[in-house]
């Protein structure tokens, strides 16, 4: 009887392993229009791209919203298969596909009547700049954050949580910040939705005062999972197919 019992155990082990291998779990924070609400009709540019890629495979995609700092930590540990919308500098030890899905540009947003402009790090000295905890803004500016958060000029104010736009509006109102560093698509998209959903009265107009160099946006795959290299190859192939067919531009246009 023992060989039969062993065979049965092995059969169920293979069956369970197969189910797990087909379930790709990716995490991100709320960073619309790249990564939006999983329950919304429009889940975000990057999410729609990844869904389109994995729809053509045997894998099932599970997309979950997680605080970004926690998402990096838990994905590194193997809880999730990957992160959606990462710079390489967010998690350089992760596994990446070859080409970025989109290019991100981090820009400085100020109130419309504020005449300040960004011309390099030397022009930031007297600003109070809002950044998101655990975000990478590119290697050069990440170094500036380390130097100036709670020391030096003390002009970097880190925030976290899922209600980033609301927090920033409140900080502007309380004069805790005068500058927001955010992606060129993300901040205008979210401040527009915030004003619409909250029926904001009075002036809340912002302008782009200059940008940092662009960075590629990737699906960063967990260094702790042996499936990561295989998923990176699936994304490589799928991205090329989406670009060649014109569907990639079609997805992007839905959010413009």
């Amino acid at each position: 009887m023992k060989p039969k019992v062993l065979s049965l155990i092995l059969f169920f082990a293979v069956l369970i392993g197969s189910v797990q291998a087909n379930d790709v779990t990716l995490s991100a924070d709320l960073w619309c229009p790249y990564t939006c609400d999983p329950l919304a009709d429009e889940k975000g540019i990057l999410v729609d791209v990844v869904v389109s890629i994995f729809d053509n495979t045997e894998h099932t995609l599970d997309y979950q919203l997680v605080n970004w700092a926690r998402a990096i930590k838990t994905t590194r540990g193997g809880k999730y298969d990957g992160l959606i919308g990462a710079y390489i500098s967010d998690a350089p030890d992760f596994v990446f596909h070859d080409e970025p899905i989109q290019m991100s540009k981090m820009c400085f947003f100020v109130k419309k009547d504020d005449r300040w402009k960004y011309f390099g790090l030397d022009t930031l000295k007297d600003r109070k700049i809002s950044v998101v905890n655990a975000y990478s803004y590119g290697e050069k500016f990440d170094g500036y954050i380390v130097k100036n958060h709670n020391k030096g000029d003390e002009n970097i104010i880190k925030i976290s949580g899922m209600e980033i736009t609301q927090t920033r509006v409140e900080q502007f109102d309380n004069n805790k910040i005068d500058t927001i560093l955010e992606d060129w698509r993300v901040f205008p998209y979210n401040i527009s939705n915030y004003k619409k959903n909250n029926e904001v009265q009075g002036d809340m107009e912002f302008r782009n005062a200059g940008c940092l160099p662009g960075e590629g946006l990737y699906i960063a795959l967990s260094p702790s999972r042996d499936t990561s290299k295989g998923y990176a190859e699936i994304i490589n192939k799928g991205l090329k197919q989406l670009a060649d067919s014109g569907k990639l531009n079609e997805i992007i246009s839905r959010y413009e």
Side-chain angles (χ1 to χ4, degrees), residues 51 53 72 77 85 147 183:
V51 167
I53 290 172
I72 293 174
K147 181 181 177 182
D183 177 85

Side-chain angles (χ1 to χ4, degrees), residues 27-46:
S27 61
D29 67 348
L30 194 61
W31 205 44
C32 225
Y34 297 119
T35 53
C36 306
D37 186 342
L39 300 178
D41 292 335
E42 294 185 338
K43 294 176 174 57
I45 295 171
L46 302 182

Side-chain angles (χ1 to χ4, degrees), residues 45-234:
I45 295 171
L46 302 182
V47 180
D48 288 355
V49 167
V50 180
V51 167
S52 294
I53 290 172
F54 280 96
D55 271 353
N56 294 321
T57 72
E58 73 277 16
H59 300 291
T60 301
L61 187 66
D62 179 14
Y63 160 51
Q64 299 183 17
L65 281 185
V66 185
N67 170 280
W68 190 244
R70 189 178 305 119
I72 293 174
K73 181 179 179 180
T74 53
T75 302
R76 180 175 282 117
K79 180 177 180 179
Y80 302 105
D81 288 292
L83 306 167
I84 305 179
Y87 290 179
I88 291 177
S89 53
D90 274 308
D93 56 318
F94 281 42
V95 177
F96 290 84
H97 46 95
D98 294 338
E99 298 293 333
I101 299 174
Q102 280 278 276
M103 291 301 294
S104 165
K105 276 195 303 183
M106 287 291 181
C107 301
F108 296 92
F109 292 92
V110 299
K111 285 289 187 73
K112 191 175 181 179
D113 57 359
D114 185 340
R115 304 324 302 163
W116 175 81
K117 290 184 179 180
Y118 172 72
F119 291 111
L121 298 183
D122 291 343
T123 62
L124 299 176
K125 184 175 181 181
D126 297 321
R127 307 302 296 183
K128 294 179 285 186
I129 307 163
S130 169
V131 300
V132 179
N133 184 43
Y135 272 25
S136 174
Y137 295 88
E139 185 176 349
K140 187 175 181 180
F141 199 84
D142 288 349
Y144 182 87
I145 290 173
V146 170
K147 181 181 177 182
N148 292 284
H149 178 236
N150 290 334
K151 54 187 176 181
D153 294 329
E154 296 187 358
N155 66 332
I156 297 294
I157 295 88
K158 289 186 178 181
I159 60 174
S160 60
M162 300 302 284
E163 300 296 334
I164 296 296
T165 303
Q166 179 175 327
T167 300
R168 283 170 156 168
V169 168
E170 292 170 354
Q171 288 179 326
F172 253 110
D173 289 343
N174 295 326
N175 294 317
K176 291 183 177 180
I177 63 172
D178 55 25
T179 311
I180 290 171
L181 183 57
E182 187 53 271
D183 177 85
W184 68 288
R185 275 194 175 108
V186 171
F187 183 72
Y189 186 97
N190 283 292
I191 198 66
S192 175
N193 284 343
Y194 178 86
K195 290 192 288 186
K196 187 188 306 179
N197 295 334
N198 291 276
E199 298 181 351
V200 172
Q201 301 296 321
D203 181 41
M204 193 189 288
E205 299 296 326
F206 295 86
R207 67 177 183 85
N208 185 331
C211 303
L212 299 174
E215 298 275 347
L217 292 174
Y218 295 82
I219 309 304
L221 298 157
S222 174
S224 300
R225 295 210 176 189
D226 57 12
T227 52
S228 292
K229 289 185 179 179
Y231 291 154
E233 286 306 312
I234 290 173

